[in-house]
Amino acid sequence: MAIGTVAKKTARASLAAFSLAALLASAAQAADLEVTGYIEPEFQLFPQSPSGNEQRRVNASVAAEVTFESFWDNSNQWVVVKPFARWDRRDGNRTHVDLREAKYARVVDNWEFRAGIDKVFWGVTEAVHLVDIINQTDLVESIDGEEKLGQPMIMVSSFWDFGTVTGYLLPYFRERTFPSLSGRPAFDIPVDETQTRYESGAKRQHLDFALRYSNTFDIWDVGVSYFRGTNRTPILQPGLNAGGEPVLIPFYAQLDRVSTDIQATSGAWLYKFEGFWQEQLDEGNLQATGGIEYTLYGIFDSPADLGLVAEYVWDDRGANRQNNFANDAFLAFRWTANDVSSTAILAGTTVDLDTQALGFSIEAERRFGADYFVSLEGRFFENIPRSDPGYSFEDDDLIQLRIARYF
């Protein structure tokens, strides 16, 4: 399937979902409507020469997101619609439209109901969010996995003295986005989404569900979750495209997963843990990550704070192609100026303790005036051997500038 066809299918699906959300919004009679959003040009520089003939060292794109919010019934009912779009000069797959949110929500006593498209985050650690599984990763937006696609769902949550219990029905599966042949950073062997395979015969229509319990006990914030459905992380299998060229074919397996995330706050210390046991393709697997964060408040007699982070990620399968983080350490610092401009810097390094591969990242951000927000990001990869799952990114060091104008 051509890149343009993929983009058109994505746009049609998002337009249909947007129309549904607009119908939900019309139910908010006599309600105030608040509209906010941003438009954000982006500039990318890749210092190294590309490995693909269609790739370039310089790229530009522009993204926009608009949020429509309407509350009524003493804020016990509300509708949120949040469409997102990006146009990319080089990568046709990165030119895409998505509904991050399009939901109706209602609170009745100690119950909350939501229906539509929403984003849900689980997790406490900095480097890797192992337990975060409800939403699919929007990989063309960022390779760190932080950006997510909107997920169709019905959510029911109940609040009690013993904790919060939440159930999710997920009737439609979102496939992961991947860069095209001209995109960077990208795999050396392109991903052919037209040959996507599923373990379930229902494919995208498989009905997934999840349950979650969360509560706070003194200094401890605890979450326990169960998920059954289509794994959001595909297994990339080798294959050939229609022209006989090698490609990677996504395969989405069925998954049973029990997970927990725990965070303890003791003064300036944070203690964090995430882990799960899962069964996929008749094989069990255990993964975990955890660490500490210590914050130095008011450093050098200034309003600024400095947070020091150390984490470790472990996979009982050892080094494998399905997980880039099987025996890795993460060290970082977070500097926050605590000024009116929200100035902050986060810098860190990841070390693969098996292959000694290194990854460096730095993110700096600052607000200018009331309407502009600027972020500068750098990602660098060093000493990555061919045996490492991240070898494809060795020549994809990235410097990225985003300038957002909010309204």
Side-chain angles (χ1 to χ4, degrees):
M1 184 182 299
I3 289 173
T5 304
V6 174
K8 289 177 182 178
K9 288 184 64 178
T10 303
R12 285 197 297 266
S14 297
L15 181 60
F18 183 85
S19 301
L20 174 61
L23 291 175
L24 290 174
S26 67
Q29 298 178 358
D32 293 330
L33 178 66
E34 181 179 352
V35 181
T36 58
Y38 66 85
I39 183 167
E40 182 183 68
E42 175 194 83
F43 307 94
Q44 295 178 320
L45 172 65
F46 298 89
Q48 299 157 299
S49 298
S51 57
N53 294 331
E54 299 183 36
Q55 296 175 328
R56 298 295 182 267
R57 295 180 59 175
V58 177
N59 188 31
S61 69
V62 61
E65 184 175 272
V66 183
T67 301
F68 303 90
E69 294 180 302
S70 182
F71 294 82
W72 69 100
D73 189 18
N74 294 321
S75 295
N76 288 320
Q77 298 187 65
W78 65 94
V79 167
V80 178
V81 179
K82 187 179 293 186
F84 169 86
R86 179 179 295 280
W87 173 84
D88 190 277
R89 182 186 178 192
R90 304 285 186 194
D91 188 350
N93 285 4
R94 198 165 185 247
T95 296
H96 67 304
V97 179
D98 182 49
L99 264 180
R100 299 310 203 204
E101 297 180 37
K103 64 187 176 185
Y104 164 76
R106 182 171 185 176
V107 174
V108 180
D109 297 327
N110 61 327
W111 293 83
E112 181 179 337
F113 305 87
R114 296 186 186 184
I117 297 173
D118 204 357
K119 292 176 70 174
V120 174
F121 174 76
W122 298 345
V124 294
T125 54
E126 185 72 40
V128 182
H129 305 304
L130 289 181
V131 305
D132 190 33
I133 194 173
I134 295 294
N135 291 83
Q136 179 60 273
T137 298
D138 192 354
L139 197 64
V140 297
E141 279 299 303
S142 178
I143 63 171
D144 62 9
E146 296 287 339
E147 298 294 334
K148 300 291 183 177
L149 298 172
Q151 170 62 47
M153 69 175 68
I154 297 173
M155 187 207 81
V156 180
S157 191
S158 185
F159 310 94
W160 305 90
D161 291 339
F162 60 82
T164 301
V165 180
T166 306
Y168 304 86
L169 284 178
L170 313 170
Y172 184 79
F173 177 74
R174 303 291 308 277
E175 294 180 0
R176 180 164 295 189
T177 58
F178 293 96
S180 68
L181 288 172
S182 58
R184 296 182 75 180
F187 299 108
D188 288 340
I189 302 176
V191 177
D192 187 351
E193 298 162 85
T194 66
Q195 299 189 62
T196 297
R197 303 164 181 166
Y198 291 85
E199 181 182 3
S200 168
K203 298 183 178 180
R204 292 186 179 186
Q205 281 71 41
H206 187 274
L207 182 62
D208 302 343
F209 72 90
L211 292 171
R212 180 169 173 84
Y213 166 80
S214 60
N215 201 5
T216 299
F217 304 94
D218 191 22
I219 67 171
W220 301 88
D221 295 312
V222 178
V224 180
S225 308
Y226 173 72
F227 173 88
R228 184 171 190 178
T230 307
N231 195 344
R232 273 50 182 162
T233 303
I235 300 171
L236 298 179
Q237 302 175 329
L240 299 175
N241 63 14
E245 300 169 325
V247 294
L248 297 174
I249 301 172
F251 173 77
Y252 293 96
Q254 290 298 293
L255 179 73
D256 280 281
R257 175 184 290 183
V258 179
S259 64
T260 185
D261 51 281
I262 303 170
Q263 178 171 285
T265 305
S266 179
W269 292 90
L270 289 179
Y271 303 91
K272 306 178 182 184
F273 175 82
E274 293 184 28
F276 64 72
W277 178 89
Q278 67 181 18
E279 184 174 359
Q280 175 178 271
L281 300 176
D282 298 323
E283 292 186 2
N285 169 228
L286 189 64
Q287 295 184 41
T289 181
I292 59 173
E293 181 172 346
Y294 180 75
T295 301
L296 300 164
Y297 296 100
I299 58 172
F300 306 120
D301 295 323
S302 73
D305 300 331
L306 180 65
L308 306 175
V309 182
E311 295 178 354
Y312 173 71
V313 190
W314 173 78
D315 187 328
D316 70 350
R317 296 170 297 183
N320 65 91
R321 289 287 175 180
Q322 298 182 41
N323 181 16
N324 286 342
F325 304 98
N327 181 25
D328 292 62
F330 175 75
L331 300 173
F333 75 83
R334 180 188 293 106
W335 178 78
T336 306
N338 293 319
D339 58 359
V340 294
S341 299
S342 302
T343 308
I345 298 175
L346 173 64
T349 181
T350 303
V351 183
D352 188 314
L353 301 179
D354 291 323
T355 66
Q356 284 70 58
L358 300 174
F360 303 95
S361 66
I362 182 167
E363 302 173 22
E365 56 188 31
R366 180 180 175 87
R367 180 181 293 110
F368 291 88
D371 302 325
Y372 290 90
F373 193 79
V374 177
S375 62
L376 180 64
E377 178 179 342
R379 295 188 180 276
F380 308 95
F381 309 94
E382 299 292 337
N383 194 40
I384 303 182
R386 289 184 176 273
S387 59
D388 192 278
Y391 178 74
S392 290
F393 303 127
E394 186 192 28
D395 57 0
D396 279 333
D397 290 354
L398 167 66
I399 299 172
Q400 177 175 281
L401 174 66
R402 290 177 171 175
I403 305 172
R405 168 64 163 87
Y406 283 82
F407 57 86

